[in-house]
Structures are given as structure tokens and as C-alpha cells.
Amino acid sequence: IDISNLPSSFKSQLNRLTPEARIAWEQERLLAMSDPLYLGTAVLGMDFQETPHRAMFNQFLPMNPLAKIGFYDLDREHKKRMILWPRGTFKTSGVLVKQVQTILNYPDIRLCHMTGGRELAKRHLGRVHRVFSRPTQKFKSLFPEFCEKMLGATISEFTISPRGNTTYAEPTFSISS
């Protein structure tokens, strides 16, 4: 794992770990970046269940942090997805987890969350923003570089600090209705 983007205080902590503990940290970080159910439950503290939520997450674009391929190439066949599950099955929370996971895997990505109403969109943006601005202890220990101050945050968008390409006009995450 490339640790060049990690905060210097965290790099020193990481360098003090035993080789076994360092490997465990790297494996857990990769697990969170590739398994949305693990990211949602163990890292973000949400109440997903193996059944039925694994089936829901299997409908989303799979992440493979070790493959080092572009976002577009993750699935060249299916570019649109629709999940028509009933109300109360955590669909929106599942989308939030996948959006966070996508940002973790592709820090230069620009996501726009569209809804039918502005207030609903702002609430969703707030939930995603809080993952980075008020992280759980587990998230902070696995992804400290994403918990640094935001480069820009308003009521309709935010940009994360580990973004490699700062010339993009668009923020990391924005909303529209």
C-alpha cells in the first residue's frame, strides 16, 4: 500500500507497528475498499445484515483496489444499474456506502448525487460528508488521509483532501435535484 498520502503523524504510528500488525492493517484496509458490507458494518457502524444486504451490494459495481484499473473499466458491459427493492431495505444507505467506497478507491472521482428534491439531496450529502468529517474510530484508523480537512465544503458539495488532481473544476461529491 502506498503510504505517501498518509498524514505524517500516522506514518510514524504505522512504522512502529510489528510486521504482522502492519499486514493486518493493510489487509483490513483492502477489505474495506473491496467489500461494501464490511465497510458499511465494521468500519462505518451501519446495521447491514449478510442476508439480504450482500445480495443488494452484489448488484453494485464491484471494486478491486489491487487491479489498478480505471473506474470506467470496472465493468465495460453494464453502465446503468437499478435496484427496485421495497422501502426500508437500506437502499439509500447502500448507495452511501458505495459512494464512500468509490471515493476511497478513486480519490480523483467526481460524483453527482441526483434526487427528486433539494432537501433530500442535502440530507444525503450531509451523510456522506460526515463519513469524512466526523469519522468512526475504525474509519479514521484505516483511512486517516481522508479525515484531514476538506478542500472545499458547502451545502451542495465537498472535495476531499487526498485528491491527486487539483485542477478539476468539479468537487469530489455534489448534489443536484
Side-chain angles (χ1 to χ4, degrees):
I1 292 181
D2 177 21
I3 65 167
S4 61
N5 290 334
L6 296 177
S8 56
S9 61
F10 189 80
K11 282 182 198 176
S12 63
Q13 286 179 307
L14 200 57
N15 289 332
R16 289 192 301 266
L17 291 177
T18 65
E20 296 80 17
R22 170 77 179 258
I23 290 170
W25 176 81
E26 289 177 356
Q27 288 175 337
E28 188 170 16
R29 183 175 159 111
L30 287 172
L31 181 61
M33 291 173 73
S34 59
D35 183 354
L37 190 62
Y38 183 80
L39 176 64
T41 56
V43 179
L44 300 179
M46 300 171 89
D47 191 25
F48 291 105
Q49 303 298 314
E50 182 68 34
T51 304
H53 296 113
R54 175 73 64 196
M56 177 185 65
F57 283 123
N58 286 343
Q59 302 305 308
F60 290 116
L61 191 62
M63 295 287 151
N64 186 350
L66 296 176
K68 302 291 186 210
I69 59 175
F71 183 76
Y72 183 83
D73 294 324
L74 289 174
D75 186 344
R76 291 185 150 269
E77 187 176 336
H78 301 100
K79 295 300 174 190
K80 296 180 181 181
R81 290 167 165 74
M82 183 184 299
I83 297 179
L84 299 172
W85 285 20
R87 292 177 59 100
T89 55
F90 282 41
K91 295 180 303 293
T92 303
S93 294
V95 167
L96 175 144
V97 170
K98 285 305 292 182
Q99 289 168 331
V100 169
Q101 190 179 59
T102 301
I103 293 169
L104 295 174
N105 279 282
Y106 297 94
D108 286 337
I109 198 152
R110 282 98 59 214
L111 300 174
C112 181
H113 183 83
M114 299 182 77
T115 65
R118 185 86 176 149
E119 291 306 311
L120 180 61
K122 287 193 305 191
R123 285 196 305 269
H124 188 80
L125 174 110
R127 288 181 70 197
V128 176
H129 182 266
R130 278 190 298 277
V131 169
F132 300 100
S133 63
R134 289 186 274 176
T136 64
Q137 201 56 39
K138 178 65 91 175
F139 186 89
K140 195 172 186 172
S141 72
L142 292 174
F143 304 102
E145 71 275 29
F146 287 90
C147 302
E148 301 283 288
K149 69 177 183 70
M150 300 286 172
L151 298 178
T154 69
I155 61 168
S156 61
E157 64 186 42
F158 69 85
T159 300
I160 56 161
S161 55
R163 180 180 260 188
N165 187 338
T166 56
T167 62
Y168 293 135
E170 301 85 11
T172 301
F173 192 90
S174 63
I175 57 171
S176 184
S177 60

